[in-house]
Structure formats: C-alpha cells, structure tokens
Amino acid sequence: MSTPVIVHCGDGHFRRAIYCLGPYIADYPEQCLLSSVVQGWCPKCTAPPDELGSLSVTPRSQEHTATIAAELELWVAWDSYGVIADVVPFTEAFPRADIHELIAPDILHQLIKGTFKDHLVTWIEAYLVATHGKTEARVIISRIDQRIAVVPPFAGLRRFPQGRGFKQWTGSDSKALMKVYIPAIKGHCPSDMVRAIRAFLEFCYIARRDVVDTNSLNEMQSALLRFHQFRKIFETTGIRKEDTHPPRQHSLIHYHRLIRDYGAPNGICSSITESRHITAIKKPWRRSNRYKALGQMLKTNQRLDRLAGARADFEARGMLKGSILDSVSAPVQGESVIGSNRETGREKAPNNDEDDPSDDDEFEVSGERTTPSIMMASRALERGANASDIGKKIQHRQFVSLIIDFLRQQQLESSLPPPSDFDPSITTYPSVKATFHAPSDISGTGGMRGERIRAVSTWRNHGVSRYDTVFIKLNNGMVGMRAFNVARVCLLFSFNYSAGTRYQCALVDDYILASDGPDEVTGMWLVKRAIDHRSRQQISRVIHLEEILRAAHLIPVFPNTGDIDRNISPDTALDHYRKNLFYVNKFVDYHAFETVY
C-alpha cells in the first residue's frame, strides 16, 4: 500500500499504481465494531442519535476519532461523540485507509430488511393497532393479507398464500413483499404513509440499478427528500417520536456520496457475502451427518471446487455444451426452435392445453447483449384447425374478422376475400418467450433475461386458465408508460397467407389508461378494460408477435371495505375484478420499473 507497481492500463498506457483497501462490506453492528462507534450512532458521520433525521451532516474521519480517544475520558467520548475510545480500528496503521470512509452501503440490511421490513411494515401495523384497536386492526391486517394472497401470478413473483404473516423473514421474503405491498395497503392507511413507502421503494429501485449515473443520483435525492417529507406522518400520528431516525434508515443520506466513491451499490451489497455463506456453510452443513461436521463440510467444498474446475476445463475443450438430445432432434420445418427441448434437455409432454410445468417462467440468457426478441414456443397445442372453429372454442365470434383487420394493416387489402370466404388454417401455441436486456435483474453475463408469456385454458392441471398481460410497443416517440399499451393475451397462433408468408400473431384484449398520469399516491399508472361504447363488448384485436415487448403485471384496485371472496385465487383475480381499475405494477422487477418509470 506504499510501493507503486507498473500496471498496463486499458487504454494501452503503462502507469505506476498504488493499491489500497477498497469498500468494506458489513452490516450495521459490524460497522460499529470496525469503526469503534457506539451502536445507535452513525459510523459515517458525527450526527448524534437524536439528530439522525438531519440531511446536513459532518463526515467522520479516523483522525477525528483518534483525537477524541487521545484527549477525552472514555465516558465523555462515549456519551458526547459516540466513540469507543479504548478500541483501535484495524486500519489505523494502514496508509490512506480510513475505516469511516471504507464502510460501503448495504442494500440488504439497510434498505430491504432494515428500513422496509423492520421499520415501515412494522410502523404500518403499529398505526393500525393505535388507530383501530387490536381487534379491528387484526381484521384490517387480515384483509391486507388477503389482497397480497390473490395478486395475479408473474414470472419470478413469489406467492404469499397466507399473506405476509410468516414468522422468519429472509431478504428474499422482503424483496418479494416490496413488489406487491403498496396496492395491498392502499385505502387502509393515510395517503402520506403510502407516499412515504412509494418514495422509499423508488429510492431502493434506483439504488439497485446496474449503472448509476448523475441523473440517477438526482432521482435518488428527489426520492429521499420526498421520503423524509412524508415519513413525518408517522410522527404526527404518534407512531414514532419526533426527530428520531433509526441508524439504518439514516444511512440513506450517505448513498449519494458512497455511490460516487464506489459505484453502483448492487455490486458491493452484503447479499453477496450472504449468498456465499449459503453455498459454503449452510448447504454443506445440511449434507453432513451433523457430527463433527467441519471436516465433512470442508471436504464437500473441496469436491465441489474440483467439479467446477473440471467442468470449466471440459467446456474450454468444447465439451458439455447442450445436451444429448441436441444431436438427435431437429426443428420442425417453418417453426421456431426457441423454447424447444434444447433448453431443458427433457422430452416434451404430449399435446394438451398447458405448457410443460417444469419450464420456468423466467430464466437467464447467456451470451452478449442482443436486441429484444420474442419467439413462439416450439410445441404447438393444435395444428391445422380452422380459424372459425378456434373462434367458437375461445368464444371470440369476431376472430376471423380480426385476422382480416390484421392483414389489412399489413397492406394486403387488395387480395383479401370477404370474411364469409376466409377461414385460414391456424396453429395455436401455449406460450412465447420474450428476451430483453435487464442487467439490474437476475440475468446472464450480457445482461439478457428471458420470461415466458402464457395463454392456456388449463394451467398446471388446476382447472383454471392463465392468460398473461403484456406491454405492446407503440411507435409514438413517447417514453415511459405512454410508449406502451397494456393488453391481455387470449390466444397465440400462426398461419400462412399470401404465397406461404407465415404470420405469428396474438389475439389480445386491450386495456386503456384511466388518466393522463400515474396515481398521485401510489405512483403507478391505472388502466381499465377497453370497452366498445356501442356494443358494450371488450375491444380485441390481432397483433403481430413482434409488437409485444414483455409481460406486464396488473394488480386490481381492491375495494376498501369488506373481505375478499375466498373463491378468488391469483389465477382468477383479473377476471373477477374485470370491471375494476388495475395498477400497472412498476415494482414487480427492475426492468418494469425502468420501462414504466
């Protein structure tokens, strides 16, 4: 840390570089221990515990801490400055290493499990008890749980059959609840409480971007100011004492500087070390016989490392790529191979009304970044059926006319016969796969992510249908939600027309925006079903598959009073509340947040 080393830099030049300590990943108790700071104080600044709500703070420094320890008595340093004077930070003898500056932001413990789960969710429940009493509060919390339990399914979205009433919360539990919490509490607590949680979630989602630039920092600062503005509702209602901020919540004010110092916090979060703890400790422990397990755990890790090394060597030699099935299977003429057995190495089930339940709704896409694409599943549900027969089966009387309207949009009106003479042979499919660039979500090395969009009448043998909702691209030059329509996919099909030209299409039910802007309280756009005012029927149309960007997640705007019908399930919620407004859930994942925000 004091002797320069010659380094060949990325721009081709050689420079002398001195390596220093980088950001230190730790949760709050460990941060206090490392920096010799009393718990309840901030290890990054000198703000006292009763002034942690202030946005103007003075950074701590190791020199300042050493001076306090040398000049003041132990109890004075403890009470007045929050310094443990008889403990020396391990970085004291290191050149250019200030432990107060090295402490990194911790998204998992400071934001997700700290501010959201331990603070905001707990405060909401405390408000309900203080306002309505324990008995009535239990009823309201039960209704909130019912709303969470019937949220429609989505790729990667965890189900909460019993609401959020689980005993031990993990980071994954908290992140999953963040996605659906705002629509669940809307109407049961003051609007400013919802606005406070919305501002915090926007801060969280911006902080977790793969790349954080100056505009992102400005957006984060704006969300933080709104959070501090609206969180005062917890003080005025008596849930929290005035001007008291827990240290983990106070840490939000340091993110602006820390991101400028260390880059996007997603790359230095304690969830990285937590995940390694699972693979290196928890899983080997479960595989042991629990008696003198340390040696068994070490041997398990050694063998796993050797297997990983062997696999890397085999792949470098061109082995272990694909599956045995790849060499014996061939794509059907004229059909897409994306979504075929090549991806799973398993034989597909015979044709029925559902796709293979073993296929994941979301998946990583390896390789470099590519343009967004959408591909039909390789396995067809039904081949060679007449469009009129399919229309009767799915109860869309105008299906053939909608296909003709679609072809007219393709500038083929001169060769189109009248609807009475037009009945093309079509092939129907259970799903499509959308692939898009989403580096902030779980994705491949190039930042590509995929998800499956389904349209099936029987889903996983449960006797219920699943028709997903999607974003449809508009060429209107707008950004955000105004650049898209939302629709529900009713049928996925393809047909040949005009000298063998094959069209891959989707029959969709349209939704329209309910207002010119997002809801002021939740920050989400509201949509409703598009109804023809003359016929009072749902507006449907046939679109080209390439018009679909990816899946969208809609959550019904639930009634403020009364319990939810126990017969409603996540699979039937969209149909049951079809006359209601729906939130376009921008918090369902980070790509949706970027798309709609």
Side-chain angles (χ1 to χ4, degrees), residues 289-565:
N289 62 9
R290 316 296 171 86
Y291 176 72
K292 295 183 178 181
L294 180 58
Q296 302 171 49
M297 294 162 62
L298 291 174
K299 183 171 289 187
T300 298
N301 285 330
Q302 290 172 0
R303 290 174 174 174
L304 290 174
D305 289 342
R306 290 173 181 172
L307 287 172
R311 183 175 187 86
D313 180 63
F314 291 153
E315 289 181 348
R317 299 171 184 267
M319 304 163 63
L320 293 181
K321 290 185 177 180
S323 65
I324 298 175
L325 192 60
D326 291 344
S327 60
V328 297
S329 63
V332 178
Q333 183 68 27
E335 298 292 336
S336 166
V337 297
I338 301 298
S340 67
N341 302 342
R342 296 171 182 243
E343 298 172 5
T344 62
R346 294 184 293 266
E347 185 175 354
K348 292 289 184 178
N351 289 353
N352 50 34
D353 285 341
E354 66 168 293
D355 206 357
D356 186 355
S358 62
D359 287 338
D360 294 331
D361 280 347
E362 64 172 349
F363 50 91
E364 301 177 17
V365 179
S366 59
E368 299 180 357
R369 176 177 179 178
T370 58
T371 57
S373 62
I374 186 162
M375 291 293 208
M376 201 75 81
S378 63
R379 179 176 60 83
L381 287 177
E382 190 172 357
R383 297 180 184 274
N386 292 331
S388 57
D389 294 336
I390 294 296
K392 294 177 182 178
K393 182 178 180 180
I394 63 176
Q395 298 180 353
H396 266 271
R397 299 178 181 177
Q398 303 299 320
F399 181 47
V400 175
S401 298
L402 294 176
I403 294 177
I404 293 177
D405 292 339
F406 165 76
L407 291 174
R408 284 173 179 160
Q409 293 178 358
Q410 306 297 314
Q411 299 180 350
L412 295 174
E413 62 272 14
S414 60
S415 59
L416 286 176
S420 58
D421 299 332
F422 184 73
D423 196 6
S425 175
I426 68 174
T427 301
T428 62
Y429 299 88
S431 66
V432 296
K433 284 188 174 182
T435 303
F436 47 90
H437 186 243
S440 299
D441 294 296
I442 298 176
S443 59
T445 54
M448 299 300 294
R449 178 174 179 263
E451 65 184 10
R452 188 182 292 274
I453 301 168
R454 303 182 187 271
V456 289
S457 58
T458 303
W459 169 238
R460 296 187 182 235
N461 294 324
H462 293 322
V464 295
S465 59
R466 176 166 172 180
Y467 299 103
D468 290 339
T469 50
V470 295
F471 288 113
I472 298 177
K473 296 175 283 188
L474 300 175
N475 296 322
N476 57 6
M478 305 294 286
V479 296
M481 187 61 200
R482 292 183 179 89
F484 301 96
N485 273 344
V486 176
R488 192 177 186 189
V489 180
C490 300
L491 183 69
L492 297 165
F493 66 98
S494 65
F495 66 97
N496 292 327
Y497 186 78
S498 182
T501 302
R502 190 165 189 79
Y503 293 97
Q504 294 184 330
C505 305
L507 173 65
V508 299
D509 289 343
D510 277 329
Y511 290 78
I512 59 174
L513 296 177
S515 60
D516 294 333
D519 180 55
E520 293 183 356
V521 177
T522 64
M524 299 184 191
W525 288 85
L526 291 168
V527 297
K528 58 184 178 180
R529 297 171 72 94
I531 303 296
D532 188 321
H533 295 292
R534 294 182 179 179
S535 63
R536 298 294 180 182
Q537 297 296 320
Q538 167 74 51
I539 296 177
S540 303
R541 58 193 173 113
V542 171
I543 63 172
H544 200 285
L545 204 62
E546 294 180 352
E547 296 182 48
I548 297 176
L549 173 66
R550 57 156 300 179
H553 188 227
L554 301 186
I555 300 179
V557 177
F558 299 101
N560 290 335
T561 59
D563 293 337
I564 292 178
D565 188 343

Side-chain angles (χ1 to χ4, degrees), residues 34-53:
L34 291 167
S35 56
S36 303
V37 171
V38 179
Q39 288 208 34
W41 291 69
C42 176
K44 299 289 296 183
C45 68
T46 59
D50 57 352
E51 296 180 11
L52 292 180

Side-chain angles (χ1 to χ4, degrees), residues 96-135:
R96 296 175 305 282
D98 189 329
I99 187 59
H100 301 292
E101 293 185 359
L102 295 180
I103 290 175
D106 183 8
I107 290 177
L108 177 62
H109 293 97
Q110 292 173 345
L111 302 186
I112 298 171
K113 297 182 71 173
T115 303
F116 177 71
K117 176 251 180 180
D118 291 339
H119 303 159
L120 296 178
V121 174
T122 303
W123 295 354
I124 289 291
E125 295 184 8
Y127 164 79
L128 295 175
V129 172
T131 304
H132 303 282
K134 290 185 178 180
T135 302

